[in-house]
């Protein structure tokens, strides 16, 4: 049972870490064996439901040229202001957005093409907020540096890819 745990996959390039994450997301199915979530084979789960419940925080997050807030809310419908602020606090986005010199319009500040106006860490924090705001049950972190205290945010499983 790994519910509520952090699981780490560590290995050299080409050792299969990306393959494991692709299998978990059902980009393709295993040739042998099965992958289960809560004792249910993921082949028996609705694909849309499965992917909705997996958040990805990649080493180089993909952001669009809209505002910080729009990047966090990407793909989310009906989010309360209270939830938004809570997620920003948990992901530490609120800390850097409060710098009025760098972010004069706070959450409405435009990120620039592919997040050009942000540091790598700021982009990752926005990606973490995006994963949290969609209430992901599983979050895959593609870099150990992007991990946060998942026990406090209701994530069932956090996978670290190192």
């Amino acid at each position: 049972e790994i519910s509520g745990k952090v699981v780490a996959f560590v290995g050299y390039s080409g050792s299969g870490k990306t393959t494991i994450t692709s299998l978990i997301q059902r980009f393709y199915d295993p040739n042998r064996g099965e992958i289960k979530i809560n004792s249910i084979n993921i082949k028996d789960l609705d694909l849309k439901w499965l992917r909705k419940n997996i958040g990805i925080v990649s080493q180089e997050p993909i952001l669009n040229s809209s505002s910080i807030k729009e990047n966090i809310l990407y793909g989310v419908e009906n989010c309360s202001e209270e939830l938004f602020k809570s997620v920003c606090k948990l992901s530490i986005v609120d800390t850097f957005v409060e710098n009025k010199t760098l972010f004069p319009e706070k959450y409405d500040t435009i990120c620039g093409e592919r997040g050009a106006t942000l540091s790598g860490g700021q982009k990752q924090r926005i990606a973490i907020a995006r994963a949290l705001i969609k209430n992901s049950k599983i979050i895959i972190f593609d870099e150990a540096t992007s991990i946060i205290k998942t026990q406090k945010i209701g994530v069932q499983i956090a996978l670290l890819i190192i």
Side-chain angles (χ1 to χ4, degrees):
E1 176 69 30
I2 61 171
S3 183
K5 305 286 186 207
V6 173
V7 178
F9 294 100
V10 181
Y12 296 105
S13 274
S15 64
K17 301 181 304 286
T18 300
T19 300
I20 290 169
T21 62
S22 294
L23 287 166
I24 291 168
Q25 297 173 80
R26 283 210 61 211
F27 291 145
Y28 49 90
D29 292 323
N31 294 330
R32 293 187 313 260
E34 52 189 18
I35 298 170
K36 293 184 176 184
I37 295 176
N38 292 333
S39 302
I40 301 169
N41 188 325
I42 62 171
K43 288 181 180 179
D44 297 330
L45 296 172
D46 176 69
L47 188 58
K48 186 175 180 180
W49 179 90
L50 177 68
R51 290 188 181 154
K52 180 179 184 268
N53 282 283
I54 296 175
I56 305 291
V57 180
S58 63
Q59 186 173 1
E60 184 59 41
I62 299 170
L63 301 179
N64 58 47
S65 61
S66 61
S67 71
I68 292 170
K69 185 172 189 172
E70 289 169 324
N71 271 284
I72 292 170
L73 293 174
Y74 183 78
V76 174
E77 298 175 20
N78 304 323
C79 177
S80 70
E81 190 65 26
E82 182 180 340
L83 175 61
F84 180 80
K85 287 181 179 179
S86 173
V87 163
C88 289
K89 185 176 179 73
L90 283 170
S91 59
I92 314 173
V93 170
D94 65 335
T95 304
F96 68 80
V97 168
E98 292 302 316
N99 182 332
K100 291 182 182 181
T101 304
L102 297 175
F103 303 96
E105 306 202 20
K106 295 189 176 191
Y107 293 101
D108 292 323
T109 302
I110 300 300
C111 294
E113 191 65 35
R114 301 183 69 185
T117 63
L118 304 169
S119 71
Q122 291 166 338
K123 288 187 231 180
Q124 277 199 334
R125 292 298 170 183
I126 290 170
I128 291 168
R130 183 187 291 161
L132 294 176
I133 209 150
K134 68 181 242 188
N135 196 24
S136 302
K137 304 301 180 208
I138 298 170
I139 298 182
I140 299 173
F141 294 91
D142 191 8
E143 265 296 298
T145 57
S146 62
I147 188 65
I148 57 174
K149 293 185 178 184
T150 56
Q151 304 88 324
K152 295 183 179 182
I153 56 177
V155 173
Q156 290 180 357
I157 303 169
L159 299 177
L160 298 180
I161 310 303
I162 305 170

